[in-house]
Amino acid sequence: MAHFRKDFLWGGAVAANQVEGGYNEGGKGLSVTDITTAGSLESPRYLTYTLDGKDGKVAGMFASSLPKGAKGKIFDNEYYPNHVAIDFYHHYKEDIKMFADMGFKVFRTSIAWTRIFPTGEEDKPNQEGLDFYRRVFEELKKNGIEPLVTISHYEDPLALGEKYNDWQDRKMIDLYVKYATTLFKEYKDLVKYWLTFNEINSSLMFLKLVGDGKVSDADYQKAYQKLHHQFVASAKAVVAGHKINPDFMIGNMIAGSVYYPGTPDPKDALAARYEEELSQLYCADAQAKGEYPSFAKRLWDEHNVHLKIEDGDLEVMKEGKVDMYTFSYYMSNMVTTHDVGEKAKGNFAAGAKNPYLEYSEWGWSTDPDGLQLYLEKMYDRYGIPMMVVENGLGAVDKLEDGTVHDDYRIDYLRKHIKAMDKAVEHGVDLLAYTTWGCIDCVSAGTGQMSKRYGFIYVDRDDKGEGTLKRLPKDSYYWYQKVIASNGDEL
Ligand code: BGP
């Protein structure tokens, strides 16, 4: 018998920019993702812009920033996969019906900030945008599915990115809080579960993994200052949300990973711990404990970071602690001070390759024990309910006779569900599991469609060709049974 609670929320997750399309419909403004090209494992995605009359592009993903003074621009000769994505904007009813048939209890999606405030600075929200998400949430409710909503998922309004230099300006705090408060008021009777920022720790975690791997003190200064503004914004939103509806459960969202020492050398143990402090605990403490950890000073000093903290910031962080700890989990990492042969690759994969683990085509390890470890460790540290809001295997699927035999995906998910079950048996209060990309969508890291995660296949390729037809894969019927049996039948 599995140990999940009776009202366990089984479901799936996506993000607005990776599924919706309709990038210039319904009064929507441009998001940073709308000027982001497609890439692959070998070649990065680019943000395209114009600066002093000249066109240019800079490697980036996960809402990275443009060079100072640059204006985002859509080039005619580039392909932007998020413009159409899988056209959820027009297919949401059909998709929700398929989720409901699978037995989903919860569906995680995000709101595109630019559908609500096209440039981020309007006084009044865009009614068409509000209406679209109302229709989506009502459709979910009608089908017995609870919405779980990420307020900001890697898609700031482009206009704010250009003007305020990727959260360097404190003005972003008020603009975010205005946006979040608008959502809370509008959907207070439809949405109970909210997440403030997707993978907030990515600003630190991905620093070394993007570009040439060289990170300057100025880069660290920028990342820490951005995070400070986001922590304050998140805390203010939590406070405002609870006033609007005291039943709201508002969570953080961390890109979760565990860090193993690569050898028994104590220096490796220390290095692994330090990596965990930087990549996980710094942000997790700020939002779940409501304060900077004891090791924050060491982290700042290492890179001569001088954080601008204003009066009242630390108090509001304390007041606006999150109600639940939510995270994505795909893989673990290995850290060593020794010379290692092979390195792990991919946007999440840092350090050395772990000989005990298998790696996907995109270089991500499969490590269900790491998920158990993470759940048990973090529950022990923070003691608040948890949700696994992303987990899954990105793989190339082969369409055969109108379906996909994705036993590799079933195998991956089965192992991770077993790991969650163990953690629950050991006392972790786990509320939900939403697998990533429950319907195939555009990859955030590479912009590919061919890196598929879904239970539902979508006929669309890396160049934007295809009918957009939806087809259930083998994993669709498997997950249906898992949900119906509350995790007993794996
Ligand atoms: C997380 C993001 C998601 C998602 C996922 C898989 O970082 O929150 O948006 O895309 O990773 O990553 P990818 O799409 O690069 O395979």
Side-chain angles (χ1 to χ4, degrees):
M1 274 291 271
H3 302 83
F4 298 105
R5 40 195 299 159
K6 282 206 171 55
D7 57 354
F8 190 72
L9 295 168
W10 297 95
V14 295
N17 72 89
Q18 292 171 260
V19 295
E20 282 177 9
Y23 83 105
N24 56 3
E25 288 181 59
K28 180 180 169 297
L30 286 186
S31 304
V32 181
T33 34
D34 296 324
I35 54 146
T36 308
T37 68
S40 66
L41 183 57
E42 291 76 32
S43 53
R45 303 186 74 179
Y46 288 100
L47 310 184
T48 51
Y49 62 83
T50 169
L51 178 60
D52 298 332
K54 271 201 215 126
D55 286 347
K57 52 185 187 178
V58 56
M61 55 184 179
F62 300 122
S64 340
S65 53
L66 291 168
K68 222 176 162 76
K71 293 264 173 245
K73 182 176 167 188
I74 294 169
F75 296 169
D76 291 338
N77 58 349
E78 285 284 357
Y79 174 56
Y80 300 88
N82 302 66
H83 285 186
V84 175
I86 60 159
D87 199 28
F88 179 80
Y89 191 67
H90 298 108
H91 288 73
Y92 71 92
K93 280 197 181 167
E94 177 192 337
D95 294 343
I96 291 172
K97 169 87 177 52
M98 289 184 85
F99 299 148
D101 287 349
M102 242 191 295
F104 273 26
K105 312 278 185 235
V106 64
F107 174 60
R108 173 180 174 231
T109 189
S110 65
I111 289 182
W113 190 336
T114 50
R115 285 202 193 282
I116 311 300
F117 291 102
T119 67
E121 293 199 287
E122 290 79 3
D123 289 331
K124 287 215 169 66
N126 168 35
Q127 193 57 44
E128 264 189 276
L130 291 175
D131 292 346
F132 169 66
Y133 291 107
R134 174 167 291 278
R135 288 197 298 275
V136 171
F137 299 148
E138 282 175 352
E139 193 66 23
L140 288 167
K141 289 284 207 185
K142 212 169 76 190
N143 282 279
I145 302 174
E146 199 63 50
L148 162 61
V149 176
T150 318
I151 297 168
S152 172
H153 191 125
Y154 294 141
E155 55 180 309
D156 289 347
L158 176 61
L160 296 185
E162 290 167 353
K163 199 162 163 191
Y164 298 122
N165 191 14
D166 194 24
W167 282 86
Q168 294 308 295
D169 196 312
R170 277 187 74 89
K171 288 211 184 84
M172 287 297 290
I173 299 174
D174 289 344
L175 293 169
Y176 175 90
V177 176
K178 178 180 75 175
Y179 161 55
T181 309
T182 305
L183 302 182
F184 293 151
K185 284 190 184 145
E186 182 72 24
Y187 307 121
K188 67 174 187 312
D189 301 320
L190 280 170
V191 180
K192 174 181 164 133
Y193 300 103
W194 301 89
L195 310 179
T196 55
F197 288 95
N198 185 62
E199 295 187 335
I200 194 165
N201 56 325
S202 58
S203 298
L204 288 173
M205 195 177 178
F206 297 150
L207 265 183
K208 284 178 278 188
L209 303 178
V210 182
D212 58 10
K214 288 193 200 101
V215 191
S216 66
D217 283 358
D219 294 330
Y220 277 102
Q221 172 72 39
K222 210 176 151 193
Y224 282 112
Q225 193 61 52
K226 168 182 182 171
L227 281 172
H228 180 69
H229 291 154
Q230 292 188 329
F231 295 151
V232 174
S234 169
K236 284 190 168 184
V238 170
V239 173
H242 287 154
K243 277 193 193 129
I244 292 163
N245 185 346
D247 291 337
F248 278 170
M249 290 282 285
I250 309 176
N252 60 342
M253 200 305 207
I254 297 278
S257 192
V258 287
Y259 301 84
Y260 303 124
T263 74
D265 183 346
K267 289 205 169 27
D268 279 11
L270 202 56
R273 168 70 192 182
Y274 279 9
E275 191 57 47
E276 181 183 47
E277 289 180 350
L278 171 80
S279 299
Q280 302 289 319
L281 304 178
Y282 180 83
C283 292
D285 278 14
Q287 290 185 292
K289 286 188 178 176
E291 63 191 22
Y292 282 113
S294 59
F295 52 80
K297 192 172 172 312
R298 175 181 60 75
L299 290 175
W300 297 329
D301 288 351
E302 267 170 17
H303 298 288
N304 295 310
V305 170
H306 298 282
L307 217 52
K308 286 184 223 93
I309 300 178
E310 289 197 358
D311 284 354
D313 283 0
L314 299 179
E315 288 73 12
V316 81
M317 278 170 64
K318 196 90 219 172
E319 209 190 331
K321 280 188 291 191
V322 290
D323 305 310
M324 53 184 186
Y325 189 102
T326 96
F327 66 101
S328 60
Y329 178 85
Y330 293 92
M331 69 182 78
S332 57
N333 287 288
M334 205 169 80
V335 184
T336 178
T337 58
H338 296 268
D339 210 10
V340 285
E342 227 184 326
K343 288 236 167 180
K345 57 183 175 176
N347 50 309
F348 271 104
K353 241 186 166 175
N354 188 330
Y356 294 95
L357 301 178
E358 280 175 16
Y359 285 77
S360 80
E361 286 171 71
W362 276 268
W364 295 16
S365 63
T366 296
D367 181 9
D369 295 322
L371 175 58
Q372 186 191 333
L373 180 61
Y374 192 83
L375 280 163
E376 294 184 5
K377 211 189 229 209
M378 294 307 184
Y379 187 66
D380 183 52
R381 189 175 175 95
Y382 302 112
I384 49 177
M386 300 184 79
M387 287 185 177
V388 180
V389 296
E390 282 185 32
N391 173 240
L393 178 71
V396 174
D397 286 341
K398 207 161 98 218
L399 196 61
E400 286 170 308
D401 307 323
T403 189
V404 176
H405 302 300
D406 53 347
D407 45 316
Y408 38 91
R409 182 166 296 110
I410 294 174
D411 189 53
Y412 178 100
L413 295 172
R414 178 189 290 128
K415 285 178 182 153
H416 286 80
I417 294 173
K418 278 190 185 157
M420 291 190 309
D421 185 48
K422 272 261 168 270
V424 172
E425 188 187 355
H426 295 168
V428 172
D429 184 11
L430 189 63
L431 302 180
Y433 179 57
T434 57
T435 66
W436 174 252
C438 48
I439 180 164
D440 290 347
C441 61
V442 175
S443 156
T446 66
Q448 293 167 299
M449 267 307 296
S450 53
K451 190 180 187 190
R452 295 174 184 273
Y453 288 86
F455 301 116
I456 301 168
Y457 184 90
V458 179
D459 179 22
R460 191 163 173 88
D461 68 15
D462 290 342
K463 295 194 178 71
E465 304 289 332
T467 60
L468 289 170
K469 195 170 163 37
R470 275 74 165 144
L471 298 161
K473 306 179 191 175
D474 284 357
S475 56
Y476 179 98
Y477 301 104
W478 170 80
Y479 198 47
Q480 201 172 42
K481 275 201 274 176
V482 173
I483 299 177
S485 64
N486 204 25
D488 273 346
E489 273 183 56
L490 292 175

